[in-house]
Amino acid sequence: MGQGKEVKTRADPRVEIQEKGEIFFFYRPKVDKDEAHGPDDVQRMYIVLRPESGDRAVEEKQAPGSGKEGRKHHQAGEGDQVAGASKEEGGGHEGGHGKEEVNIEEKPLLRLVVMGKKSLPDPAKHSRPYWGYVELVTTDVQDIKDALKEEEYSTATRGQRRRPAARALGEGVYRILRHEPGGGGRRRSPHTHLVYKLELPARVDGDTPQEAMNVEPEASFLVQVKNPDPPSGGRSGGGGGFRGLQSKRRAAFPARLQGAFGSRRYAPADPPDLLNYEGCELLLIAASDDVEEELGLELEGEVEEGEGEEEQERAAGCSDLVKMFGEVADVKPLLSGTWD
């Protein structure tokens, strides 16, 4: 349905839009579960970000021969030369490394983010940060479909097991913002927000998977990226205490992006290119469930809450999530706002 649009409702909200795009939410039931009827049946939650424009049309991402992206291409026989270069440059490193430029207005770029908890932080509460990491970065939609589809595998102790297909939970528009607060507020230094507004499901009421996993109709989160190679004795940027990924799975940022951290253990996701590396670890910190009140910015999608059923059905037919992932992911929770 596209990246939507935004309206600034205050003359000087001190907000700079760095990236615009579509956001998709998914969850996966537990292994060998045919259905999920509540949060106890959920194994994992995913976020897919698809940037489509921003303050720069060209973003920097990991080299196509690195990380899972590179291994997938190598397995498909799409380039031993690229995969070989990845191994040599990365020194056996499993996370994203190297660099490639992608024009996000001309070519798809997708990030699959895994949340450490089976929900988002509650945007109405100021709880402790929620940890997550970038599992996959790719310019090939099929790579994301493969990550979301049902899969059978064998184990030495339990035999054949089945990992069920992911369920589509929500679709909307998002912005990544640089916010420079004025006055004497709690946050005095510039920071990065991820804000979104759902288009589907059109309504979220009652005992729904969206409610259980804190996927509100709209929300704002601060985004902090963890320094994969912090200097000894470096001061913390907040939200510490997460063990995180093994060092070999962490992102290896190019010097330009690594320099954004300085001596800090955490830094704002500025530029958003930091999220274009597999193994990028991040913290989501609840900021608000009212984006307009907090930031003076109102997001508008194709479908607004309260529109008629006919318009909602039309939007479902135009859903980019359904078009891209409907053949591998169950879309019932997306379209009906109910569990399996």
Side-chain angles (χ1 to χ4, degrees), residues 283-340:
L283 300 178
L284 289 185
I285 304 167
S288 176
D289 59 355
D290 190 330
V291 176
E292 192 279 328
E293 180 181 3
E294 181 196 22
L295 298 169
L297 192 76
E298 186 172 350
L299 292 182
E300 297 180 357
E302 293 293 324
V303 177
E304 297 298 318
E305 186 174 357
E307 290 189 358
E309 290 185 7
E310 183 176 335
E311 184 65 16
Q312 293 171 24
E313 290 178 4
R314 183 194 67 80
C318 297
S319 165
D320 286 335
L321 187 155
V322 174
K323 291 176 182 176
M324 286 191 289
F325 308 118
E327 64 182 270
V328 297
D330 187 337
V331 298
K332 178 185 175 183
L334 172 76
L335 301 180
S336 66
T338 60
W339 292 99
D340 294 358

Side-chain angles (χ1 to χ4, degrees), residues 9 11 16 57 62 75 77 119 143 158 190 218 222 248-249 284-285 298 335:
T9 60
E16 179 183 347
Q62 66 187 37
Q75 291 167 2
S119 71
D143 291 343
R158 298 191 179 185
E218 66 175 61
L222 271 67
K248 67 178 181 179
R249 294 183 60 195
L284 289 185
I285 304 167
E298 186 172 350
L335 301 180

Side-chain angles (χ1 to χ4, degrees), residues 108-303:
L109 175 63
L110 299 113
R111 312 168 179 131
L112 177 67
V113 177
V114 175
M115 293 304 300
K117 293 191 175 184
K118 296 180 289 186
S119 71
L120 299 176
D122 187 340
K125 300 177 182 178
H126 295 293
S127 58
R128 73 189 303 251
Y130 278 30
W131 174 83
Y133 66 95
V134 179
E135 169 80 5
L136 179 63
V137 176
T138 183
T139 56
D140 188 345
V141 174
Q142 185 61 47
D143 291 343
I144 303 294
K145 292 167 71 173
D146 289 343
L148 298 175
K149 70 182 182 182
E150 179 180 322
E151 180 183 27
E152 291 191 359
Y153 60 97
S154 298
T155 66
T157 56
R158 298 191 179 185
Q160 197 76 4
R161 308 207 72 188
R162 182 179 61 85
R163 187 179 71 163
R167 273 58 167 166
L169 182 64
E171 174 177 1
V173 297
Y174 81 89
R175 301 291 185 267
I176 292 179
L177 313 169
R178 179 189 295 122
H179 184 208
E180 298 189 16
R186 186 164 56 95
R187 305 184 187 102
R188 295 183 176 86
S189 59
H191 47 266
T192 301
H193 286 259
L194 168 66
V195 301
Y196 75 83
K197 183 170 186 177
L198 286 185
E199 296 173 291
L200 291 173
R203 291 184 178 85
V204 179
D205 297 313
D207 183 19
T208 66
Q210 292 80 13
E211 185 73 18
M213 285 177 263
N214 292 329
V215 180
E216 298 292 337
E218 66 175 61
S220 169
F221 302 99
L222 271 67
V223 187
Q224 294 265 314
V225 174
K226 184 178 180 181
N227 188 342
D229 187 24
S232 58
R235 63 185 179 86
S236 171
F242 296 90
R243 178 177 295 180
L245 299 175
Q246 294 177 318
S247 58
K248 67 178 181 179
R249 294 183 60 195
R250 296 174 192 160
F253 297 119
R256 181 183 75 87
L257 296 178
Q258 183 64 35
F261 294 96
S263 62
R264 296 174 293 181
R265 294 188 179 275
Y266 289 85
D270 186 358
D273 307 52
L274 288 162
L275 304 176
N276 294 335
Y277 284 77
E278 294 173 18
C280 167
E281 298 180 85
L282 54 93
L283 300 178
L284 289 185
I285 304 167
S288 176
D289 59 355
D290 190 330
V291 176
E292 192 279 328
E293 180 181 3
E294 181 196 22
L295 298 169
L297 192 76
E298 186 172 350
L299 292 182
E300 297 180 357
E302 293 293 324
V303 177

